[in-house]
Amino acid sequence: MRYRLGVDIGGTFTDIVLYDEKGGTDIAKLASTPDDPGRAVVEGAVEILSKHDIFPSQISEIVHGTTVGSNTILQRVGAKTGLITTKGFRDILEIGRIRTPDMFDLTWEKPVQLVERRFRKEVTERLSADGKIVTPLDMNELGTVAQALADGGCEAIAICFLHSYVNPAHEIATREFLEKEFPQFLVTASCDVLPEMKEYERTSTTVVNAYLLTQMRAYLTNLESELKARGFNAPLLIVNSAGGMMSVEAAKSRPVFAVGSGPAGGVAGGARLAEATGLGTLIAFDMGGTTAKASIIRDGQPMLINEYEFREGISSPSRFTKGGGYMLKVPAIDIAEVGAGGGSIAWIDTGGMLQVGPISAGSNPGPASYGLGNEKPTVTDANIVLGYIGETGLAGGSLTIDKSLAEAAIAKEIAEPLQLSVTEAALGIRRIANVNMARAIRSVTVERGLDPREMALMVFGGGGALHGVDVAQLLGITKIIIPDMSGVFCSVGMLASDVEHSMVRATFGVLENWRGDALGERLTWLRDAMMARLNAEGFTKEFVALKFLADLRYQGQSSELTIPVDPKQLSSQGGTVLRADFEKAYYDVYGYTDTTAVELVNLRVTGLGIRKEKLDFKQLYNKHNTMIQQAVTKRKVCFNLAEEWHETPVQPRNSAIEHKVTSPIILYSYDTTIAVPPKIIISTDGCGSVILDIQDFAGEVTK
């Protein structure tokens, strides 16, 4: 028997899924180890294998979603980075897009740049817009600049020259010089990461990649070493921000593509499940211990974007106004994120208002109820006080909790200062957390002109099923889907994904001016480069799928739309064949078209390496659920702000799969708890999901 492991590191728990070649799964949750994230990965992998008497040599593949990239940026612990750029462009990072995310917010502060100004160096060189050398690269000046950066203690260097996306000769010469003369530097050239026009976006993306190199390489190298020391020889794959997989070597050299690694796995899994069960458009909602995320899945495909800003607080790539974070122009799933999770701390601001998050208690010390030293109340503590979570503990009882500690923390920090009862304070904490999470969903629906009331809500993450119904009601959503193993669903999703890479080639000009042979040459170059990359990772032609795309815009615009293209048609008929498809896409987004000339900006290719053994939701079965005893107990749960306590049955999750159950009810499993208030119809699908339909006051399902 061969097995595969899916591993996701969250802010509170590290989730591990073991998957065998017959569709059987088992799961494990253990506290994350922020001081050494890989320690929980290795210990968890060893633990779940020893439980089943499986040898590490039987593991054929390990897929991993990591928050090392995002945490490195948030904690500002990346490499000391220098930037070498064209003379006159030293301050491109400061200038950015010359806008702020909110023009009326007088308290807004610009993010501190990842490269200090004294480490942004200019050299004499210049290319024209068509790539011709106007001023040769001054190698003597380059040597002086590089020495100054070395003397300043820089560890990583980003290289970004004007118009290098057309002609990378100067960047390549600079990279080769630095690698030879200054081998202590980790070097990133923009032509190797983002060969596209737009100087700010290209510079920012290259800088972020350089900034992440030391932490990501150290983490992945150490993780590989620790796994091998325990007998694991299976290849390690890393989830990229678009939900696909990349080799560990690719992640070490291009970590900017894996900043959104962990959350993308859950959305990718949701897309595969939606495809397997025939669901239409739905919202993927992931609530973990630190943050909550939301994304849209349409016809079995996640919504993708080609750029996003990474920042603290609510992060929404789909927002039109940018300027509040670090620009990454890389393919990614459109995920909105807000600092509201099970470990989010409740507090009272200077105006006497109750707030929840974004600061989290994390895995250590964790919520007050863990008894590990934190005395501040969290969302988890509120759920314990209200009866949503029992006193038997979390993660199958491996993590003990103390309800009295939760009550004491809420009483001292919230209830007494606001002159509320402990129950009222707990309800307030939960309500505010729900509203914050609904904001994330609105940012990917309402702010994009989509009506959430027309969609189903798929909830996962450790806390998603606890809050799913309340969040849905805030948005007018009537159908909630809770997948099997929802508490570890990001790890499940990784096992259902393929290896994925993206490449781009700048191809600028009015459509009518592009002949088919010229476009065919560029498409062939992209195809051959992508095939070479996937072949190097072990994928033969029959297990490779290529998708070609084009970035188009009306002449004079600065933003593009990306549409799929047929390479054969484009190579034979030329650029004019794209106008009709572009105008249809433009009309769908903006509601009108124009007679202005259309420009082609970039050609892209996405390459999939099809994994033969990836997880199939239709044949999936969870060994862990079948081992839970069918014990039925009861406890009082306060489901609403009216402080109505319901004597509520508490049953194993799989009881809802095997026979009909009615609300209100608490359904528990090793990885999560499903809270089902009154007036909810409970059903299931063919893939082990629990389906909740919210009823109206007449007792009928709202259409």
Side-chain angles (χ1 to χ4, degrees):
M1 181 79 78
R2 305 289 289 173
Y3 300 86
R4 297 165 60 223
L5 285 173
V7 185
D8 177 49
I9 300 177
T12 304
F13 287 104
T14 293
D15 302 333
I16 298 179
V17 175
L18 175 69
Y19 177 68
D20 67 38
E21 57 194 23
K22 295 183 179 180
T25 60
D26 197 6
I27 59 180
K29 290 180 81 76
L30 60 160
S32 294
T33 50
D35 58 317
D36 178 11
R39 188 170 76 250
V41 174
V42 176
E43 290 175 355
V46 170
E47 177 183 318
I48 199 168
L49 262 60
S50 62
K51 174 182 172 184
H52 296 279
D53 295 325
I54 298 171
F55 295 105
S57 58
Q58 291 178 262
I59 301 298
S60 61
E61 187 178 69
I62 301 172
V63 294
H64 180 27
T66 174
T67 55
V68 169
S70 57
N71 287 341
T72 297
I73 300 173
L74 288 174
Q75 298 168 11
R76 300 300 304 276
V77 292
K80 193 171 186 178
T81 305
L83 170 64
I84 298 177
T85 189
T86 304
K87 189 174 290 295
F89 287 82
R90 181 185 188 185
D91 293 317
I92 191 71
L93 292 175
E94 299 286 359
I95 296 169
R97 286 179 164 175
I98 324 178
R99 62 180 66 175
T100 64
D102 187 348
M103 64 183 295
F104 299 108
D105 184 1
L106 300 180
T107 65
W108 177 77
E109 294 184 7
K110 198 169 189 176
V112 177
Q113 295 303 324
L114 300 179
V115 181
E116 297 179 47
R117 193 173 190 273
R118 62 195 175 109
F119 295 132
R120 299 179 218 150
K121 302 294 185 181
E122 300 175 342
V123 296
T124 300
E125 70 85 37
R126 194 62 179 256
L127 300 175
S128 62
D130 59 2
K132 294 177 182 176
I133 296 177
V134 176
T135 303
L137 175 64
D138 188 329
M139 298 302 295
N140 291 329
E141 187 177 12
L142 176 61
T144 302
V145 162
Q147 187 60 56
L149 293 174
D151 293 341
C154 287
E155 304 165 286
I157 304 297
I159 308 165
C160 194
F161 291 146
L162 191 67
H163 303 311
S164 65
Y165 59 90
V166 182
N167 179 1
H170 286 175
E171 284 195 359
I172 293 172
T174 301
R175 183 191 65 204
E176 292 176 346
F177 171 80
L178 293 176
E179 289 174 343
K180 179 181 179 181
E181 302 296 332
F182 297 85
Q184 73 270 32
F185 288 151
L186 297 175
V187 183
T188 294
S190 76
C191 62
D192 296 325
V193 176
L194 186 69
E196 293 185 39
M197 64 190 306
K198 296 187 177 180
E199 296 312 303
Y200 165 62
E201 289 80 355
R202 187 156 56 90
T203 304
S204 178
T205 304
T206 306
V207 163
V208 171
N209 193 79
Y211 186 76
L212 296 175
L213 284 174
T214 55
Q215 291 289 330
M216 189 67 90
R217 287 191 180 185
Y219 169 71
L220 293 176
T221 299
N222 183 64
L223 179 59
E224 283 185 300
S225 176
E226 289 295 320
L227 287 169
K228 287 180 180 178
R230 299 294 188 101
F232 292 91
N233 295 310
L236 179 65
L237 296 176
I238 306 301
V239 184
N240 64 32
S241 300
M245 298 292 146
M246 59 196 301
S247 69
V248 70
E249 293 305 321
K252 287 179 182 179
S253 61
R254 297 186 296 277
V256 70
F257 287 89
V259 171
S261 173
V267 181
R272 299 290 78 76
L273 177 57
E275 191 176 42
T277 54
L279 292 169
T281 303
L282 56 88
I283 302 163
F285 172 65
D286 176 6
M287 180 186 175
T290 307
T291 60
K293 304 102 175 161
S295 186
I296 300 297
I297 297 171
R298 180 176 288 171
D299 298 325
Q301 297 297 321
M303 293 190 70
L304 299 177
I305 35 87
N306 288 324
E307 68 174 43
Y308 68 104
E309 282 191 354
F310 183 85
R311 57 177 170 172
E312 294 182 83
I314 185 166
S315 174
S316 176
S318 63
R319 292 193 167 200
F320 295 110
T321 305
K322 306 290 193 218
Y326 303 106
M327 174 59 66
L328 308 180
K329 194 164 175 47
V330 297
I333 295 176
D334 187 358
I335 300 176
E337 185 170 2
V338 65
S344 295
I345 293 174
W347 52 286
I348 299 173
D349 65 19
T350 54
M353 299 293 289
L354 175 60
Q355 305 287 344
V356 178
I359 298 173
S360 173
S363 60
N364 190 1
S369 54
Y370 286 12
L372 298 177
N374 172 43
E375 296 181 354
K376 304 290 185 182
T378 66
V379 175
T380 294
D381 294 315
N383 284 328
I384 291 168
V385 167
L386 296 172
Y388 287 88
I389 299 174
E391 295 185 67
T392 54
L394 300 172
S398 62
L399 188 59
T400 58
I401 58 176
D402 186 335
K403 182 178 180 180
S404 65
L405 293 177
E407 291 174 331
I410 293 174
K412 178 182 177 182
E413 300 292 333
I414 307 297
E416 292 172 5
L418 296 180
Q419 297 182 349
L420 300 171
S421 68
V422 171
T423 299
E424 288 173 329
L427 286 167
I429 293 169
R430 183 177 164 89
R431 176 73 172 182
I432 291 173
N434 290 335
V435 170
N436 287 341
M437 292 185 286
R439 287 175 54 217
I441 294 175
R442 287 192 179 97
S443 70
V444 294
T445 54
V446 176
E447 291 186 17
R448 293 189 69 118
L450 303 173
D451 189 345
R453 295 172 297 182
E454 298 174 356
M455 307 175 191
L457 183 68
M458 181 181 288
V459 301
F460 48 91
L466 277 170
H467 292 258
V469 172
D470 286 356
V471 172
Q473 289 176 323
L474 286 170
L475 297 162
I477 297 170
T478 59
K479 185 174 185 177
I480 300 138
I481 302 154
I482 306 163
D484 191 14
M485 299 180 288
S486 63
V488 294
F489 196 69
C490 285
S491 296
V492 174
M494 296 168 195
L495 291 167
S497 299
D498 293 308
V499 169
E500 181 176 326
H501 293 292
S502 297
M503 289 183 175
V504 62
R505 182 163 180 181
T507 311
F508 186 75
V510 175
L511 284 183
E512 287 75 10
N513 295 340
W514 279 106
R515 302 191 316 274
D517 57 347
L519 292 174
E521 179 273 327
R522 285 163 170 77
L523 291 167
T524 299
W525 183 91
L526 284 169
R527 182 198 64 202
D528 292 346
M530 180 58 72
M531 287 299 301
R533 179 176 291 182
L534 288 170
N535 287 341
E537 295 183 4
F539 293 96
T540 53
K541 184 177 181 180
E542 60 268 30
F543 293 103
V544 170
L546 301 181
K547 182 180 180 181
F548 293 88
L549 307 108
D551 295 342
L552 301 162
R553 68 188 186 189
Y554 282 121
Q555 195 169 38
Q557 291 183 327
S558 60
S559 299
E560 302 86 37
L561 287 179
T562 302
I563 64 170
V565 300
D566 181 343
K568 291 183 179 179
Q569 186 183 41
L570 198 56
S571 300
S572 61
Q573 300 182 37
T576 53
V577 74
L578 297 179
R579 175 146 195 150
D581 288 341
F582 166 73
E583 290 190 332
K584 181 181 182 303
Y586 196 91
Y587 185 85
D588 289 343
V589 175
Y590 298 109
Y592 75 98
T593 58
D594 199 84
T595 58
T596 306
V598 176
E599 291 177 332
L600 175 61
V601 179
N602 299 305
L603 289 174
R604 300 179 182 273
V605 63
T606 298
L608 291 181
I610 309 299
R611 296 156 74 206
K612 292 177 283 188
E613 299 176 350
K614 67 182 178 183
L615 181 147
D616 183 350
F617 280 102
K618 290 186 177 179
Q619 66 172 13
L620 195 65
Y621 66 94
N622 185 353
K623 296 177 181 178
H624 212 117
N625 276 347
T626 61
M627 292 187 291
I628 296 176
Q629 296 296 317
Q630 298 295 309
V632 178
T633 60
K634 288 188 176 183
R635 67 169 175 260
K636 290 186 176 181
V637 183
C638 185
F639 283 109
N640 54 50
L641 296 177
E643 292 191 61
E644 296 177 356
W645 291 85
H646 296 260
E647 191 72 23
T648 306
V650 180
Q651 297 181 226
R653 183 191 194 279
N654 56 316
S655 62
I657 305 299
E658 296 170 0
H659 55 83
K660 185 175 179 62
V661 296
T662 58
S663 64
I665 193 170
I666 297 292
L667 298 169
Y668 68 88
S669 61
Y670 171 85
D671 54 300
T672 192
T673 299
I674 304 174
V676 189
K679 297 186 177 180
I680 303 290
I681 291 179
I682 306 168
S683 60
T684 185
D685 62 8
C687 295
S689 304
V690 173
I691 311 294
L692 306 180
D693 286 293
I694 299 176
Q695 299 175 271
D696 65 9
F697 294 109
E700 297 177 355
V701 178
T702 304
K703 301 298 183 183

